[in-house]
Amino acid sequence: MEKITPADIRYPDLASKRFNKRFSGKPDHIYLPSSVDDVLEAVQDAVDNKLRLVVRSGGHCLEGFVSDPAVQVIMDMCLMTNIYYDATKSAIAVEAGATVGEMYRRLFLKWGLFLPAGEYPGIGMGGHIPGGAFGFFCREYGLAADHLYGIELVTVDTSGKANCITATREVNDPNRELWWAHTGGGAGNFGVVTKFWFRSPEAVGADPASVLPKAPASVTTFRLGWDWKQFDEKSFSSLVKNFGNWCQQNSDVNSPFAKLFSLLFLNHRQLGRIEIKGVCTGPNAKVLINQHLADIATPLDLEHSIKIDECSWLQFALNPFPELFQPGFENVKAKAKDAFLRQAFSDDQIATAWKFLTTETFIGGMLGMATYGGKVNTIAPDATASFQRNCILDIACNAGWVDAAGEAATLPWVRGFYQELFAASGGVPAPNEKNGGCMINHPDTDLADPELNKSGVPWHTLYYQDNYPRLQNVKMKWDPLNIFHHALSIEAKK
């Protein structure tokens, strides 16, 4: 199989394909497989020559798992994008190089279906699905991984031979644990996923138009915003409390608000705006949106702008909230620090948010808060590898910069913000009655640093909790030589 080296005109584009420009690497060569046979050949070549190999789908990893100077070979899956109905499994097959947007487009135009996957259409399926994959519609339909029927994976056995393995959720499948590990265990741990099969657990029959949820007839979006200058600490605290309390009261799957997903953007004050954006489906979407905003925004009695729009599902799926994913961030270096919450923020945590979001130094950062729960919380923690099934919020301290001066101010800010938010649990959201740990699709290598994680709780417990030993067993069986690893990869039991 052809190796793309630095002498090839394609190399610069492929080598620089990454969302977070904080990290960079220079692999010896890059593979662009078009088939499973290509993947087998490339993996075998890397193993035989003892070269460090990593896999890339969309290139949106927040950490330097792929863009690592130690990496010698990148397997870029972007040419493996086929999507079709597989009658032998009564499931929709999606190759790992397809983007979320392409998957949405094909599912809808071919069969009128959709999958409750991620928010940004440019994300690659290969990295997204194994981490659980949550998005705008998780409260109504669960995680995308909850609809995963099977995987096709290239692994390496104890003899160093590359093999292609298929694993499904069928109870009599001898490889079922390998399927299970890809429902939240994270990508890059066990091998190279070449294909996914999707079929909802409740689906019946072999009609391809019935194996996944029907796409919504339309999507209603809402945007509400305030000028930051209107807020004092009291009104800021009221807003955050209102949002947290709403999530506490409306995260049950039987709530009519399970159809509504909302994001609170608490931008740094010097960015000028605080905003709520979200989506809702169904004939009473506008009623639910107006009630949601009445519960959260109206009590503040502050002047605000509001916009509610309705569009088709596909129009929304291929360009959701364009202002969130606009071009112009090609050179941004970023740090994101994620956490699940089982309860709303305390007064002390809200005071911490006010303190960090109102510093005099300009910071390109924010605290984001997203509604969670609903259908996600109806699944047993061990039914998939996505353990967090009792949370009401996903929050993240995010920051970006473009140069060394920006990093010197911003990186300590975002780390300090997160540590102080979770000061009561050692600077991280260690699982307890308030915290639910973290999401592996939003990896943060700080959690493995004892200087930044003083909780005494290891990083893998934050991500996987009681499911980690089971994931270790899968690692030991299917990647015994530890060919596939990165800074937060699952470690086999010693």
Side-chain angles (χ1 to χ4, degrees):
M1 184 184 175
E2 183 183 13
K3 299 177 181 179
I4 297 173
T5 68
D8 194 301
I9 60 171
R10 294 169 290 180
Y11 183 90
D13 286 314
L14 289 168
S16 63
K17 179 184 168 184
R18 63 194 188 280
F19 162 75
N20 192 352
K21 298 303 190 290
R22 185 175 165 219
F23 306 100
S24 63
K26 191 175 181 181
D28 296 345
H29 57 268
I30 300 167
Y31 284 118
L32 281 174
S34 298
S35 66
V36 176
D37 286 342
D38 286 349
V39 174
L40 283 163
E41 180 184 341
V43 170
Q44 194 65 64
D45 180 71
V47 172
D48 291 346
N49 290 285
K50 296 181 170 55
L51 299 175
R52 171 79 187 280
L53 167 72
V54 297
V55 187
R56 179 176 64 198
S57 182
H60 290 83
C61 182
L62 295 173
E63 290 287 0
F65 294 172
V66 176
S67 300
D68 180 345
V71 168
Q72 297 164 293
V73 181
I74 291 177
M75 178 100 64
D76 191 303
M77 305 298 289
C78 66
L79 297 184
M80 294 184 66
T81 61
N82 200 12
I83 299 170
Y84 60 94
Y85 178 68
D86 186 340
T88 65
K89 290 182 171 57
S90 298
I92 306 293
V94 180
E95 289 188 332
T99 64
V100 166
E102 180 62 9
M103 178 270 299
Y104 285 148
R105 190 180 74 85
R106 294 290 296 275
L107 284 184
F108 180 72
L109 294 180
K110 187 75 173 176
W111 303 287
L113 303 176
F114 97 119
L115 186 71
E119 299 164 1
Y120 178 48
I123 295 171
M125 291 288 284
H128 183 53
I129 298 301
F134 97 110
F136 292 121
F137 301 94
C138 66
R139 284 163 53 85
E140 185 174 4
Y141 295 99
L143 305 176
D146 296 341
H147 301 262
L148 181 65
Y149 175 78
I151 61 163
E152 181 181 76
L153 186 79
V154 171
T155 65
V156 179
D157 63 24
T158 53
S159 71
K161 183 178 185 300
N163 302 280
C164 184
I165 307 295
T166 298
T168 72
R169 66 169 178 243
E170 296 293 343
V171 293
N172 60 349
D173 189 331
N175 301 331
R176 190 177 191 275
E177 284 293 278
L178 189 58
W179 158 82
W180 176 87
H182 285 81
T183 61
N189 281 303
F190 311 104
V192 182
V193 179
T194 55
K195 187 185 300 178
F196 302 100
W197 285 275
F198 294 99
R199 178 183 174 89
S200 298
E202 64 274 14
V204 294
D207 181 357
S210 68
V211 301
L212 287 172
K214 287 289 185 185
S218 63
V219 175
T220 304
T221 62
F222 57 95
R223 298 168 171 85
L224 184 147
W226 299 268
D227 188 319
W228 231 116
K229 294 176 182 176
Q230 295 188 86
F231 284 87
D232 57 17
E233 188 168 4
K234 181 179 179 182
S235 55
F236 176 88
S237 177
S238 295
L239 170 61
V240 180
K241 283 183 179 179
N242 291 348
F243 193 83
N245 289 339
W246 187 94
C247 291
Q248 199 95 47
Q249 297 161 12
N250 294 283
S251 293
D252 186 82
V253 69
N254 296 316
S255 167
F257 290 98
K259 294 177 176 289
L260 185 147
F261 182 90
S262 185
L263 292 153
L264 174 60
F265 294 89
L266 298 169
N267 298 308
H268 191 278
R269 181 165 59 185
Q270 295 191 31
L271 294 175
R273 299 278 289 174
I274 289 178
E275 299 170 304
I276 299 176
K277 301 176 191 286
V279 301
C280 193
T281 61
N284 63 338
K286 289 183 180 179
V287 173
L288 294 173
I289 290 168
N290 287 328
Q291 184 59 58
H292 173 67
L293 298 178
D295 291 343
I296 295 167
T298 301
L300 303 179
D301 197 25
L302 297 176
E303 182 180 345
H304 58 266
S305 62
I306 185 168
K307 186 178 183 183
I308 299 176
D309 294 306
E310 186 175 347
C311 64
S312 71
W313 154 247
L314 192 59
Q315 180 184 352
F316 172 79
L318 297 182
N319 196 20
F321 297 107
E323 67 273 19
L324 297 183
F325 308 114
Q326 59 187 311
F329 295 97
E330 291 86 357
N331 297 313
V332 168
K333 302 174 182 181
K335 182 64 178 179
K337 300 180 70 65
D338 164 275
F340 282 117
L341 301 184
R342 293 171 175 162
Q343 296 179 16
F345 271 161
S346 67
D347 289 343
D348 286 345
Q349 288 174 308
I350 296 173
T352 293
W354 171 264
K355 169 186 166 182
F356 277 86
L357 294 171
T358 58
T359 58
E360 292 301 319
T361 303
F362 174 80
I363 298 291
M366 61 167 289
L367 172 65
M369 307 182 75
T371 55
Y372 206 68
K375 183 68 176 291
V376 174
N377 289 354
T378 65
I379 309 297
D382 62 351
T384 68
S386 299
F387 186 88
Q388 293 88 351
R389 299 292 184 165
N390 58 358
C391 299
I392 63 168
L393 280 160
D394 177 73
I395 70 102
C397 298
N398 298 326
W401 61 92
V402 295
D403 54 27
E407 179 170 345
T410 307
L411 194 52
W413 176 86
V414 71
R415 284 173 167 163
F417 190 176
Y418 190 81
Q419 283 184 295
E420 196 164 320
L421 277 177
F422 299 106
S425 52
V428 299
N432 56 29
E433 70 280 358
K434 290 179 60 66
N435 305 323
C438 306
M439 181 186 301
I440 194 59
N441 266 357
H442 298 161
D444 176 11
T445 56
D446 288 355
L447 301 179
D449 185 342
E451 292 300 313
L452 299 171
N453 175 3
K454 298 182 182 299
S455 67
V457 176
W459 66 265
H460 51 76
T461 299
L462 293 167
Y463 287 118
Y464 304 117
Q465 297 178 53
D466 295 348
N467 284 340
Y468 190 61
R470 191 170 164 188
L471 287 165
Q472 288 184 288
N473 287 336
V474 177
K475 177 73 170 180
M476 187 164 50
K477 179 175 180 179
W478 293 104
D479 186 24
L481 302 181
N482 197 30
I483 300 298
F484 303 95
H485 63 275
H486 51 71
L488 295 177
S489 55
I490 292 164
E491 298 175 351
K493 288 183 177 179
K494 294 182 173 62

